[in-house]
Every structure is written in C-alpha cells, then in structure tokens.
Amino acid sequence: MKKKIALITGITGQDGSYLARLLIKKNYLVHGIIRRSSSFNTGRLEDIYEDPFKKNKKLILHYGDLTDFSSINSIIAKIKPNEIYNLAAQSHVAVSFKTPEYTTNVNALGTLRILESILHNNLLNTKFYQASTSELFGNPEYKTQNENTPFYTKSPYGTSKLFAYWITKNYRESYGIFASNGILFNHESPFRGETFVTKKITRAISRIFFNKQKYLYIGNLNSKRDWGHAKDYVHFQWKILQQRKPMDVVISTNRQFSVRQFIEECCKFVGWKIKWSGRGLNEIGKINYEGKEKTIVKVSKKYLRPNELEALKGKSIHTNKTFKFKLKYSFKDLVKDMMEYDLKHNK
Ligand code: NAP
Ligand code: GDD
C-alpha cells in the first residue's frame, strides 16, 4: 500500500517533534517545514533526523516560513500531502504583546496561506489540521470550557488564533476542504520550550537542586491551567484527521492546577516542602535546606502580562464518544516525566 504523506509545519517545536515520531510509527512519509536559523534548530528531532542523502527516507525537511507564501505553496504543490498539520506559530502569549504584528502574520495569515495553497493546487482531498487553542476562551463566567463556549481572547496571540480558527471553518464551509480545529488546552513535556511556565519551573527546581541557580523568578502564581501531556495530545491531533467528517474539538484533561501547585509538586518530587509568605510582588517561597530556611522562589513584575487569562479548564462535548478519550498521563505523571528529564540533563 502507498504510504500516506503528511506535512507538518512547526515540526521543530514541542508538538511537531512528538507528532513526527507518531506518524513515522504509523508508517507515514513525513515532511516537515523548518525555518532557517543561525544555529541548528532540529534538536528535538535528533533521534528521527535522517541524512538528506539517504534513500527511502521516512522524514524529509524543507526550508520554508509561514510568512512566505511562495515557500509554503511550492512545498505543498510538490509533495501533495494527504494530511497537513499546521502547528507552526509564534506560540508564546507574553511575547505576542511585544511582537503583535509578527505574531498575527505567522499565526493568522500563515494559516490562510496554507488554506489558499490547498485551494489553488486543487488539493481538495488533502486534510488540514489547525492547532487551535484554549486561549480562544477567557471569560471567567464560564468555569469549564467546551466547543460551545463563546470566545473572548485576551492577547494578540489569542486573537491571531481566533482568525485562524474562523478561516479554517470558513474554508471548510465554503470550499468543502476537510479542515478541522483541535482546540487544545495547555500541554507540556520534557520538550516544552524553556520559557513556558512548566518547563521554566522544572528546569529551575532541578538547577536549584544542583546549586546551579539560586532563585526561580515567577509571575502570576495564582493563574490556573488545565495541563496535559504533549505525547497524549499529538495522538488526538492525528485522530481528528481520521474522523469521517471535519470537526472542531476540545482536547483537555478537565483538571485544573495553579502555577503555585505546579511548583509545590516539583518541590515535592525532590523532597522539599515549600512554604509561602508575603503577598503580591513580595511573595516568596522558602524551603528548609540543611536546617535553615532558604528562599528559592521570588515573584517578579517582569513576568506579569498586560492582560491575563486567569483560569482554564476544558471538557469536550464530543471526546468520550468520538475518540474513546483516554489519557495516559496524569498531572503527577507529567511533573514526574518533566522533573526526571530535567534532573538528568541539569546534573
Ligand atoms: P512551539 O514549541 O513553540 O513550536 C512552534 C513551532 O513553530 C516551531 O517549530 C517553530 O520553529 C515554528 N515556527 C514559528 N514561527 C514560524 C514561522 N514563521 N514559519 C514556520 N515555522 C515557524 O509550539 P508547540 O507547543 O509545539 O505548539 C504547537 C502549536 O499548537 C502552536 O501553533 C501553538 O500555538 C498551538 N498550541 C499549543 C498548545 C500548548 O500548550 N503547547 C496549546 C494549544 C495550542 P522554530 O523551532 O524554528 O522556532
Ligand atoms: N511563561 C510564563 N513565565 N508564564 C508564567 C510565569 C512565567 O514566569 N509566571 C506565571 N506564569 C503564568 C502565565 O501568566 C500564565 O497564566 C500561565 O503561567 C501559563 O503560562 P505559559 O506557560 O506561558 O502558557 P500560556 O497558557 O500562556 O500559553 C500556552 O498555552 C496555550 C493554550 O492555552 C502556550 O502553549 C500557547 O501557545 C497555547 O495556545
């Protein structure tokens, strides 16, 4: 049987690297778009990276950029993928306040460029997955969010993804393209970018443990998220494109923890109990270290956002029925996986 061909944008990122592994396992020929950078940016793909001169490759990388229609269009026209997973994005919410125009160009117009390319190459059988996000929600009135919850974006990132969500739906309804939105809640892993809060915490606690760093400087300790594991979630990205019909679907754990609880759980992993004192910007976290109190967490204004999405928790109206929705990783398993990796790599 002919191999299915998948194209992943954002293949060098957290999700892209896990999805590439999953699709290779499922016997796909995987193409990925990478950006030119001044140093290697394929670190997360190390174990599946293949020599460009090798024959019968399972993974083929192409230079391209979502801000450059000609690059995207020529790759799509050449490889004619059966499935496109659009994971590329300027994905950092806080950074989107500093680079709003760029964020919009990549996340919003980038998505449109891919859809236009599908249309212009007449690839109407190509399935398209859009990496939508729980950042689309944000109204505190709705304690749990599902596919019917009204959107209320709170950042340039969220708003750029709102456009991408709707344009995906528009092209599905207008041209019959199999185009689906996976509305994924936060998902993390050892491969998470170092400036997202979970990885920042697991890395810092590990480094403090080995006396390589003194403090973890943090922003909003009370913010709550519904954190899953990226390994679990890429499976659903694939599954969404295997449905009979295109759809928009929430993927989440329906459990919620605060940034503070995440820090406490990581400390527990290395045998520390953290004690909090002070308020607001003066709040600190202390541990008992060799018989003395030692401050290891400080709050910094630098990490507060101009607008904050205080709490997220998702529960799909579809998943139980449609996906036999089962997650391998609990919150504790996620912390364990990330802490074990960071303790090993920061020793
Ligand atoms: P990530 O680790 O930040 O990866 C983003 C990827 O996009 C990287 O490969 C990056 O390349 C690439 N990229 C950025 N700008 C690009 C451009 N102009 N052209 C081409 N590629 C570009 O993000 P992630 O956590 O894997 O998330 C994957 C997708 O899901 C993103 O769209 C994100 O917004 C969305 N999402 C994520 C979560 C989550 O909790 N992780 C939840 C909901 C939705 P470099 O490696 O060169 O930087
Ligand atoms: N990054 C960061 N750094 N966040 C902090 C910090 C800090 O030092 N201190 C507190 N936080 C809080 C943020 O204010 C936010 O409320 C929460 O921790 C989570 O922040 P991030 O890990 O940066 O993730 P995010 O929720 O803003 O965005 C991620 O999830 C979205 C899905 O809801 C990203 O992966 C987005 O791409 C994704 O769409």
Side-chain angles (χ1 to χ4, degrees):
M1 211 172 80
K2 223 178 139 211
K3 276 189 173 201
K4 270 196 189 172
I5 299 171
L7 173 65
I8 305 177
T9 75
I11 194 165
T12 55
Q14 171 187 252
D15 289 11
S17 63
Y18 281 115
L19 181 66
R21 281 183 188 81
L22 177 80
L23 296 183
I24 288 172
K25 244 194 201 157
K26 290 188 180 294
N27 204 29
Y28 279 68
L29 172 59
V30 176
H31 291 261
I33 296 183
I34 62 167
R35 299 195 283 179
R36 190 269 155 183
S37 89
S38 65
S39 50
F40 286 131
N41 58 0
T42 48
R44 291 186 179 101
L45 300 173
E46 235 160 44
D47 55 319
I48 50 170
Y49 186 82
E50 292 183 313
D51 186 301
F53 299 102
K54 192 184 150 200
K55 283 199 177 131
N56 299 323
K57 287 197 289 287
K58 295 175 184 145
L59 175 67
I60 301 173
L61 300 176
H62 308 260
Y63 280 113
D65 197 297
L66 279 205
T67 61
D68 176 5
F69 178 74
S70 64
S71 67
I72 299 300
N73 191 46
S74 61
I75 295 166
I76 292 177
K78 189 169 152 204
I79 68 177
K80 298 185 175 48
N82 302 99
E83 295 171 10
I84 299 179
Y85 296 85
N86 182 30
L87 308 184
Q90 190 305 89
S91 72
H92 203 284
V93 175
V95 173
S96 79
F97 288 99
K98 308 278 182 204
T99 60
E101 190 181 330
Y102 175 72
T103 301
T104 305
N105 192 0
V106 179
N107 301 3
L109 295 182
T111 306
L112 174 62
R113 290 181 185 109
I114 299 175
L115 288 163
E116 273 293 294
S117 176
I118 293 176
L119 197 61
H120 285 283
N121 288 297
N122 206 20
L123 296 174
L124 296 179
N125 290 323
T126 296
K127 295 180 174 179
F128 176 75
Y129 173 88
Q130 170 56 19
S132 278
T133 162
S134 45
E135 275 288 313
L136 298 179
F137 306 117
N139 190 336
E141 251 179 65
Y142 301 88
K143 300 274 180 246
T144 302
Q145 299 87 36
N146 64 33
E147 291 81 357
N148 297 327
T149 307
F151 296 141
Y152 188 144
T153 58
K154 298 221 165 171
S155 63
Y157 168 82
T159 305
S160 69
K161 286 283 186 173
L162 185 66
F163 175 90
Y165 170 91
W166 279 112
I167 204 70
T168 298
K169 234 171 137 98
N170 291 165
Y171 273 55
R172 169 165 94 215
E173 290 169 0
S174 311
Y175 307 114
I177 296 175
F178 190 115
S180 292
N181 284 291
I183 308 171
L184 271 54
F185 281 60
N186 297 50
H187 46 282
E188 321 292 313
S189 72
F191 282 176
R192 183 60 144 152
E194 285 83 356
T195 59
F196 295 97
V197 78
T198 55
K199 182 71 178 179
K200 183 173 163 179
I201 296 168
T202 56
R203 184 172 179 271
I205 299 295
S206 304
R207 287 170 59 82
I208 294 169
F209 186 78
F210 291 120
N211 283 320
K212 286 188 166 173
Q213 182 173 332
K214 241 176 142 173
Y215 304 116
L216 161 64
Y217 287 98
I218 201 82
N220 183 358
L221 279 166
N222 298 318
S223 175
K224 293 184 184 132
R225 289 289 182 274
D226 176 333
W227 279 298
H229 198 301
K231 238 187 197 175
D232 272 337
Y233 284 24
V234 295
H235 181 70
F236 293 107
Q237 296 175 347
W238 171 76
K239 251 190 153 172
I240 287 171
L241 290 197
Q242 312 315 309
Q243 300 304 301
R244 264 191 323 113
K245 285 187 180 159
M247 66 200 295
D248 304 318
V249 56
V250 158
I251 305 294
S252 63
T253 70
N254 191 29
R255 301 219 47 206
Q256 189 181 59
F257 296 89
S258 64
V259 171
R260 184 189 302 280
Q261 286 171 307
F262 197 94
I263 296 174
E264 288 167 358
E265 194 64 34
C266 294
C267 285
K268 211 159 116 192
F269 191 83
V270 291
W272 294 340
K273 184 167 169 38
I274 191 152
K275 261 195 348 213
W276 302 99
S277 60
R279 299 190 72 174
L281 288 176
N282 295 319
E283 182 159 12
I284 52 171
K286 288 190 232 170
I287 54 159
N288 195 315
Y289 188 76
E290 294 174 352
K292 283 192 206 142
E293 281 202 328
K294 177 173 153 183
T295 301
I296 60 162
V297 182
K298 292 187 177 191
V299 174
S300 166
K301 212 162 71 184
K302 183 172 183 309
Y303 300 109
L304 298 179
R305 297 176 178 182
N307 199 1
E308 175 68 295
L309 212 161
E310 293 288 346
L312 285 172
K313 185 163 74 155
K315 184 162 173 53
S316 174
I317 55 169
H318 298 298
T319 41
N320 287 335
K321 238 185 13 228
T322 318
F323 292 130
K324 294 192 185 73
F325 192 69
K326 220 168 172 234
L327 297 171
K328 282 201 188 124
Y329 289 85
S330 67
F331 177 72
K332 261 188 190 264
D333 298 334
L334 172 67
V335 170
K336 180 173 180 278
D337 198 27
M338 294 180 75
M339 281 302 296
E340 277 177 353
Y341 182 92
D342 279 343
L343 284 168
K344 188 169 159 201
H345 286 84
N346 287 291
K347 207 166 182 173

